[in-house]
Amino acid sequence: QVQLVESGGGLVQAGGSLRLSCAASGVTFSLYAMGWFRQGPGKEREFLTAISRSGGNTNYADSVKGRFTISRDNAKNTVYLQMNSLKPEDAAVYYCAASFAGTMTMIPGRYDYWGQGTQVTVSS
């Protein structure tokens, strides 16, 4: 049974930082590209960043480039999202996702597995 479990969300002041984690089980983690998305109230799910199977390649949405950093530890079956300089508009539920195709795509439908999400709230 495949599980992706996010953690690390919470309440932070604008300008602050959070580090999200996503632990995978039931899969050979190193065979999957991993992505992070978010969804705010009444909004569509938004691509943030993705990382290749080995961690050697990444891509970012313009909205988070320079502020967010994705990384992974294949030995721990975990992908991370370091979020700095948070803004009130970053508030959303954050999701990790796994893509067996390994394409680091921005398209949610191309991901095979999703976590349950973790809430991030940013106060102004």
Side-chain angles (χ1 to χ4, degrees):
Q1 181 181 357
V2 178
Q3 276 195 312
L4 301 177
V5 179
E6 301 97 336
S7 61
L11 172 64
V12 63
Q13 286 190 332
S17 298
L18 281 175
R19 188 195 196 203
L20 305 184
S21 299
C22 170
S25 60
V27 294
T28 303
F29 184 69
S30 60
L31 295 181
Y32 288 78
M34 299 297 296
W36 283 97
F37 292 74
R38 69 186 178 192
Q39 189 165 16
K43 297 183 179 180
E44 293 188 353
R45 194 159 294 192
E46 175 190 7
F47 170 81
L48 300 177
T49 180
I51 190 166
S52 62
R53 294 173 174 129
S54 67
N57 292 294
T58 58
N59 64 339
Y60 293 90
D62 288 343
S63 58
V64 302
K65 196 174 295 183
R67 298 190 298 126
F68 291 10
T69 303
I70 190 171
S71 61
R72 68 188 294 160
D73 185 338
N74 285 348
K76 295 183 178 180
N77 288 359
T78 302
V79 61
Y80 304 97
L81 183 65
Q82 177 66 43
M83 305 187 295
N84 299 328
S85 303
L86 283 162
K87 307 174 183 179
E89 53 263 42
D90 292 318
V93 178
Y94 282 67
Y95 299 89
C96 66
S99 167
F100 185 71
T103 57
M104 300 192 297
T105 178
M106 298 170 57
I107 302 172
R110 299 279 179 89
Y111 287 81
D112 302 288
Y113 302 106
W114 291 83
Q116 83 290 347
T118 186
Q119 178 72 50
V120 171
T121 304
V122 184
S123 63
S124 56

